[in-house]
Amino acid sequence: MPHPCGISAALLEELASMAGTRIIPVIDFGATHTRRGFAAVQVSRGRFVRAPSLLYPEKPKKIKNPTRFAQGHPKGLVTDLKATLEKTVENLKALYQRVKKEHRYPLVKTVGISAPGAWLEEGIPYRGTVPNVPDLENFKLAQEVSRMMGSGWSAVVNNDGVANVLAMAHYLLANIDKFSKVKEALRENGRIAGFIPGTGFGAGAFYIKEG
């Protein structure tokens, strides 16, 4: 059975053996805008030992998605998925060449994608969870991005709300001594939840286990 969000057994094995700083290309795909960039992560035995940080660009620009007319859709104009992906991947490839020259850390050839929708093990969003991006219905986003990036590349996707809350959780846990009230709350119930407003409305929740 495939791993949720498109993570292959080979990639899991690679992640488990990683140590030190790695650079990971990332895409934040939204219903109206898309961002792209490269994150630096410190890992030990496949686990993050520090909150990931954005390496390049320092302040990623929101790039407006190309649109198309969708007959019968309440918004009329919706994101043109094909054109948006072509634009984003072309831009990411150009940035990749720059990052590879300017930074000494190894670069992981796996793109991390956050996107609207509740993503299933089959690599498609659960039906009805992407109303603002109808082109995503039954679309294998991670598989298509890895194909567009070229030979040797892979990609993984998860809900944008979940990804945002996970990033917040990593930051809080890496700096927990600065947030005494958060530290106390986690000791009491061990849960972190967040709500992310955008074109739609995202959310995520995690149970934090000590040790």
Side-chain angles (χ1 to χ4, degrees):
M1 179 180 289
H3 189 281
C5 309
I7 302 177
S8 66
L11 177 57
L12 286 173
E13 187 176 338
E14 180 185 353
L15 289 170
S17 64
M18 282 184 184
T21 300
R22 296 291 187 274
I23 300 174
I24 299 176
V26 291
I27 296 173
D28 177 23
F29 178 76
T32 307
H33 297 87
T34 295
R35 296 181 179 91
R36 75 291 172 271
F38 289 81
V41 297
Q42 286 192 15
V43 291
S44 176
R45 298 179 183 177
R47 292 189 176 188
F48 291 144
V49 294
R50 205 175 200 181
S53 60
L54 192 61
L55 181 70
Y56 187 89
E58 291 183 4
K59 294 181 179 180
K61 294 180 180 179
K62 290 197 302 183
I63 301 172
K64 189 167 178 57
N65 297 342
T67 56
R68 66 173 181 82
F69 177 73
Q71 189 170 3
H73 194 278
K75 291 176 67 178
L77 290 176
V78 298
T79 286
D80 184 326
L81 182 60
K82 182 175 183 293
T84 298
L85 288 182
E86 287 175 350
K87 182 178 180 180
T88 302
V89 169
E90 180 183 357
N91 195 267
L92 195 67
K93 284 181 176 179
L95 289 179
Y96 170 72
Q97 296 303 324
R98 180 183 295 183
V99 170
K100 195 165 68 168
K101 289 178 181 177
E102 294 180 2
H103 297 278
R104 67 184 185 278
Y105 303 122
L107 199 147
V108 179
K109 294 182 74 173
T110 296
V111 183
I113 309 167
S114 67
W119 292 85
L120 303 172
E121 290 184 350
E122 292 81 2
I124 60 175
Y126 189 81
R127 189 172 182 178
T129 62
V130 286
N132 291 316
V133 193
D135 288 354
L136 278 177
E137 287 282 359
N138 297 311
F139 187 80
K140 294 189 175 184
L141 181 59
Q143 180 177 305
E144 180 61 13
V145 168
S146 63
R147 183 194 70 77
M148 294 174 73
M149 288 297 292
S151 177
W153 281 89
S154 60
V156 294
V157 62
N158 208 332
N159 174 263
D160 48 2
V162 170
N164 271 278
V165 177
L166 180 60
M168 293 177 196
H170 270 298
Y171 179 80
L172 285 171
L173 293 175
N175 299 277
I176 196 65
D177 290 333
K178 298 178 182 178
F179 302 97
S180 57
K181 290 185 178 180
V182 173
K183 191 173 184 178
E184 185 179 333
L186 286 176
R187 281 177 178 165
E188 289 180 5
N189 59 45
R191 292 173 176 84
I192 291 179
F195 301 93
I196 314 298
T199 304
F201 192 82
F206 294 90
Y207 177 74
I208 309 299
K209 185 178 179 181
E210 286 192 38

